[in-house]
Amino acid sequence: MFSSQQLVIGWVEYSLAATILLAGTRIFVSRLQQPVDRRNLITMSLAASTLMPLVWCATLFPILRFDLFGSGVEQAAITKKAGHLPVTQQPPTLPGESTFETKSTETRAIASTASLDSQNHANSTANVTVNEQINGWSIAAVALLAIHGLAIIWLFLQWVIGALRLRSITSKTYSASYSVLDLWKETTNGKANPARILITTEVAAPMVFGWRSPLVLIPELIAEGNRSSLHYCLAHEWSHVNCGDLPRWKYVNFCQLLFWYQPLFWVLRRELQICQDLIADDRAARATGNELGPVEYSELLVTIASKANSLRLAGAIAFFDSSSQLSRRVKRLLTNEHPLRSRSTQSFTWVSGLSFLTGALLLGSVRLSSAHAAQGPADKPTESQAAGTNESSRSETQAAGQLKIVRGRVVNDAGEPIAGAKLCLPLTYRPGRTVQTTSDEDGNFKLQCPVEWINPRVNGSSWTAWAYAPGYSIQSQNLYRVLRGDLEDLEEQITIRLPLESNTRVKVLSPDGQPLAGVIVSPKLYMTSVRNATFVPEEMRSDVSARTDEWGNASLPAVQSNLLNSLELVCEEFGRQSMRINYKTDGRPRVIRLLPCAAIQGRVVAENPEWTRGVRLIFETGDASEVPTMRGLAEVVTDNEGNFNVPLIAAGRVIRTYVTLDPTIPVRPLLNDNRYLTAGETTRLEIPLIAAPIVHGKVVVKSTGAPVPNAELSLGYEKFQKSNRVITDEEGRFQGRVLPGPLRIDIVALPAPFARQGGQ
């Protein structure tokens, strides 16, 4: 069962797709010379347009999903409560950083957009209740169904009235004479056909109707009049029967139920009717073999038009239907010197057919957004509900005790124990929680992790332990299976092998190329044991960093060059900068030239001043064209008026701006990262907080439909460069706020047995 919002959005999507297809058909039809090509092109276009609803419905189901333009996220029921994480724009993932291997593919994210905020009422809409939003979609859906229902009823009544009228006319007919039947046989060249010829006084123009056994109605005046006029009329109606115009016209009448509101459909329908008559006129005018046939046929056409009434019967093709077609038909007869083709070429049929099929598949798979409509009402979760979800996710771990013990041993490459090695295990980044210990004389260690520090979510968590001892290089070990898995706490389970000291050296220069002394150089991102680039813990950086001497040289013996991903450099004159490292093992010092600096001043603005206080901002600058890439970094917090000041940051283009907000407020920052900071100048920035619609949905197991709790999702928006992280509750539901526009939902991590494995 589709929801109201899904129905309305789906109808808009289908209408837009059909409009594009029909508009393209109208353009191509106007460029074709042969009526038969126009007729076939219009028929294939209508067939492709009616195929698109099947494609649209197919994309709602995972097994049949085409997913050509979407994000891989399905529609689903919306939430009543959901867990969520603090709102922040996540930094771009470095190659090899924070990747996960999926153990199970039997999960799917089912998402829905719960509100569409108007730009003129953005602030007030943020406080509108979900029920009011759903009522709006329901009213639109009911109105849409009502209008379509009335139109279909009206068209159906027309068909019924036409069928009854045809039946009434047929009941007052009589069989044709032998002379008429002989002329019909001569017209059809003796071909066996099921058509019947009847004579009537009820109509003034010949017509044909029916399906398997067509009926040809000939007015009595024509049947008993001039033989050549009768021959022309019979040839015209035989052309409709022989060319298959009857089933084609019935199909067009059926398309009225889908496209009655489309002006382009009625234009193409009229063009199709004219093309059918032009082909039939051409064959009829040449049926007698008389050179004056086109002239005589034109005179007959004008005569019948002057006597015929405007009777239009559903399902029948009349010899004369509309006066607006008369001049075009007569002009074609009198100016066309060569017979019209009765069939399209094989190449035209194949090319146009495949083109329309491809167009139907592509247009039918287009979505207005990557997350669609909901199937039920949703309520915003309260803080107590979110806290309850967090507590329930920890309950099983707490039942086993208040501490999670990780035991292991630190050894060198030869397997000998290393005493006094320092170990750090960051468990959460915000707030910063790190477990530290040292190895004993036998190299053994024990990390005692409070269970409340072990976040069940991947976002803001770390599962990597780091070790360092003087005379050795730093090394890491992934503890994901111990901290998140079901492994028991066993002695000697974790072994960390420390390599010997390296010969890693750097030389730091100022922007003008002069050696720079007093610069603190430390590893920022380092390859871990699972080959992911991860941040080195702050608690260990002081042990493995170095300060440049008067010649700008610094040695980093605790850092292996082939594992170093990026360096951070800090000095009073040029602020905080980082450099992405291309791995080197040749032993030569790496030369790093710092960027000149600029300044940023600005403020965060919002309707409610309370929302702008204490907002944490992180700016990252640089030039992506540089290889290796240098970056400037700065972190500030707004004051009580929302103002902020960055006195020192590397000049260049603003690559990213990260804003941390309270997730309970109904706004999100609208960022403009396409700014250039000129060295020595101060740039003014204004970051508005605008109303953010709620996105909510559900994650379920594809095969069973069972909910997936504690799944971590990323809600990407603003050209997918900004994202929020959300967590599903015990019923698999989630919700979060994003800015209006396209949305992409990605699964970041799944719980067991659907857990993604791999360290941070």
Side-chain angles (χ1 to χ4, degrees), residues 76 106-110 698-708 731-732:
E106 286 199 351
T107 55
R108 58 176 175 172
I110 304 181
K698 189 176 183 180
V699 180
V700 299
V701 180
K702 180 189 297 185
S703 58
T704 64
V708 179
E731 297 179 357

Side-chain angles (χ1 to χ4, degrees), residues 161 420 540:
I161 293 173
M540 190 168 286

